[in-house]
Amino acid sequence: FVREDGLDPALAERYTTATKAEGLPAYLTRFAAWDATVQSPERLARVVGELREDLAEDGVVHAEVRLRPPTDDDGRWDAMMEAAVDVAAARALPTLGFIAVVLRGWSAERTEREARRAARWAGRRIVALDVAGDEAIGGFAELAAAMLIAREAGLGVSVHAGESGGAGAVRDALTLLA
């Protein structure tokens, strides 16, 4: 997509296999390519379709994958989710569930909006809400209300903790988000 859209080739070059010593912030820069290129329902449908085919070739029968349509527009977000769900449902196996994502560093308002979006899709292939991102740029306090919204909608909750913040981050996740 980077070449198709005439974007800086360096964006695609960052989207490579991670190395052990690069660290979490460097790893997370890979998602800039996603945000820059997967901007339409058609693009998202293509990505989900290719993922589903890869999973099927590997013999996977069920997968739950993180998915964050890169848009602040609720109508576009819903259209992108509809496209992803349609592709996921087009084949019996593998079955796909989606885990919506909130990022550290987002405001409480933004994380709650994302949780409400995910809650609207509970039971329609969104199965959970995930906390991701660099632990150095934000803790969990801003995310607690969003996790409550997700749990009240029947969604699972997953949290990336301890990746760079150590045991204290795991403890905070269990204390503030459980």
Side-chain angles (χ1 to χ4, degrees), residues 22-76:
E22 74 181 2
L24 184 60
Y27 171 78
L28 293 173
T29 65
R30 286 172 172 72
F31 294 99
W34 172 269
D35 288 347
T37 59
V38 184
Q39 289 286 321
S40 69
E42 296 78 19
R43 286 267 175 97
L44 185 55
R46 179 175 161 189
V47 169
V48 171
E50 290 176 7
L51 171 65
R52 190 189 65 209
E53 294 303 318
D54 290 345
L55 292 169
E57 286 177 18
D58 290 341
V60 174
V61 296
H62 179 75
E64 294 177 353
V65 296
R66 284 167 180 78
L67 178 63
R68 185 181 63 80
T71 181
D72 288 330
D73 179 87
D74 284 345
R76 176 179 262 176

